[in-house]
Amino acid sequence: MSTEKRSRYDHARKILIFWTLFIGVGAVAGAVGMLIDPTGKAMGMDEMLPFFKVLPFSDILFTDFTFSGYALLIVNGITNLTAAALMFAKKKAGTILGGIFGVTLMLWICIQFYMFPLNFVSTIYFIFGFCQAATGYAAYVFGKQESFSVDEREYKNVGTNHKRLVVFFSRMGYVKKIALEEADRTGADIYEIKSTEKTDGTLGFWWCGRFGMHRWEMPIAPVDIDLTKYEHITICSPIWVFTLAATVRSFCVQAKGKIKEADYILVHHTKGVYEVAAAEMDELLGLKHTGLKSISCKKGKYKTIK
């Protein structure tokens, strides 16, 4: 995983460790209490036993809290503590299991919703389970994102054909990989659009989403390459909030009248083609694109849509 000081994965992993320890230690404590006193009187739970009669085999398994204690220990106790130990050891399995056990807790509480009248404890623990599951999913996604890398040295053919150019903007590196592959295939020069706004990390994600939602242009560094000397230019753009990335929109405004011929590659997380984004680039550049490729990318795995 990324060793950056401000790693989103590491931050989410630490929060997930808290949830697994919180739930795990609480479950072990509750299970021990049930096993020490199966009647439930010591913990004031003896009046809850009649509610267990709605469950299958209640006359065998739920005459006291012995079975419930072992079930709690195994389902929510040992499991969560194991996930926490794996995460302390920085094992990928710990993050995955931590999220899964959040779902397990929600399912456990759903059984309580079926058995007991609506109550604060069950409701709050369902919320805890949801928070744990959501944190586990976030940690999984962040881990995938931060382990993704692009090595420009692998693309030996880039820059061997000075009649073509590939232009791209990439926040996470996904579009950059596609741009390098296209430049390597055609031998084109490559040019990266640089934003002067914050686009990296979680805050950058939301900031870019704001620009995307409003269809605004985003300030970029001046385009310092002579676009007029290229016979063909490929523009690679991410899709923000179902529209053209604000940085690429700004590039197109600056490049109007300077590009002779262009095709587009759009990278996103959906199954869409985004011909509207291509039409917007045509209008901004004052030309008609010669080709459009739409690529779906989820956590570094690519699938061509068109």
Side-chain angles (χ1 to χ4, degrees):
M1 298 299 175
S2 174
T3 57
E4 293 181 7
K5 186 175 181 180
R6 303 178 73 176
S7 165
R8 293 189 297 167
Y9 165 75
D10 192 52
H11 184 64
R13 181 181 65 87
K14 289 176 181 177
I15 297 175
L16 187 58
I17 288 175
F18 162 78
W19 282 119
T20 53
L21 288 176
F22 177 77
I23 301 299
V25 171
V28 169
V32 170
M34 292 178 187
L35 296 175
I36 290 175
D37 179 18
T39 66
K41 291 182 179 180
M43 294 190 294
M45 298 173 56
D46 52 313
E47 295 183 358
M48 298 172 63
L49 277 175
F51 291 103
F52 285 78
K53 291 182 180 180
V54 300
L55 298 178
F57 308 108
S58 59
D59 55 337
I60 300 173
L61 300 177
F62 301 109
T63 57
D64 59 23
F65 285 98
T66 301
F67 179 80
S68 298
Y70 281 118
L72 181 61
L73 179 66
I74 294 170
V75 175
N76 291 318
I78 295 174
T79 50
N80 276 287
L81 295 180
T82 299
L86 289 171
M87 282 188 283
F88 274 120
K90 297 186 177 181
K91 300 294 185 180
K92 179 181 177 181
T95 301
I96 297 173
L97 291 174
I100 290 173
F101 296 149
V103 176
T104 302
L105 176 58
M106 287 192 288
L107 294 174
W108 177 277
I109 298 301
C110 283
I111 296 174
Q112 294 188 9
F113 286 149
Y114 174 71
M115 293 164 46
F116 308 135
L118 188 65
N119 61 89
F120 174 78
V121 174
S122 294
T123 302
I124 196 66
Y125 268 85
F126 184 87
I127 295 172
F128 289 162
F130 175 80
C131 291
Q132 180 179 340
T135 305
Y137 179 73
Y140 173 76
V141 171
F142 292 157
K144 284 285 188 179
Q145 290 176 341
E146 292 180 16
S147 64
F148 181 84
S149 62
V150 183
D151 188 352
E152 297 181 17
R153 295 171 298 180
E154 295 179 0
Y155 304 93
K156 308 293 186 181
N157 198 43
V158 174
T160 57
N161 179 3
H162 300 305
K163 295 181 179 180
R164 297 182 68 103
L165 175 69
V166 173
V167 175
F168 75 95
F169 174 81
S170 186
R171 199 179 70 87
M172 300 295 300
Y174 299 144
V175 181
K176 181 177 182 178
K177 181 177 175 64
I178 293 297
L180 283 168
E181 289 179 353
E182 178 66 15
D184 191 60
R185 184 184 70 84
T186 62
D189 293 339
I190 195 160
Y191 177 78
E192 181 176 5
I193 301 168
K194 296 287 188 179
S195 173
T196 57
E197 298 280 327
K198 179 177 177 59
T199 60
D200 62 319
T202 302
L203 291 177
F205 169 80
W206 292 111
W207 192 241
C208 291
R210 178 172 179 263
F211 277 82
M213 181 177 63
H214 292 285
R215 276 50 173 178
W216 291 340
E217 295 176 29
M218 177 178 280
I220 61 174
V223 179
D224 56 359
I225 187 171
D226 183 7
L227 300 173
T228 61
K229 71 178 184 179
Y230 294 99
E231 294 181 0
H232 186 93
I233 294 178
T234 299
I235 302 176
C236 302
S237 173
I239 294 294
W240 292 355
V241 197
F242 309 107
T243 190
L244 182 67
T247 48
V248 178
R249 181 178 290 114
S250 298
F251 168 82
C252 291
V253 170
Q254 292 190 32
K256 184 173 184 178
K258 300 177 182 178
I259 296 178
K260 301 172 184 175
E261 182 181 86
D263 70 308
Y264 310 137
I265 300 177
L266 303 177
V267 183
H268 47 83
H269 299 290
T270 72
K271 296 180 180 180
V273 177
Y274 296 101
E275 292 181 349
V276 172
E280 181 181 356
M281 283 194 281
D282 280 354
E283 183 178 356
L284 292 172
L285 292 169
L287 51 73
K288 177 64 178 178
H289 63 274
T290 61
L292 171 63
K293 182 181 290 186
S294 178
I295 299 175
S296 176
C297 177
K298 296 183 178 179
K299 295 183 285 293
K301 295 182 178 180
Y302 298 91
K303 180 180 179 181
T304 300
I305 305 299
K306 176 184 177 182

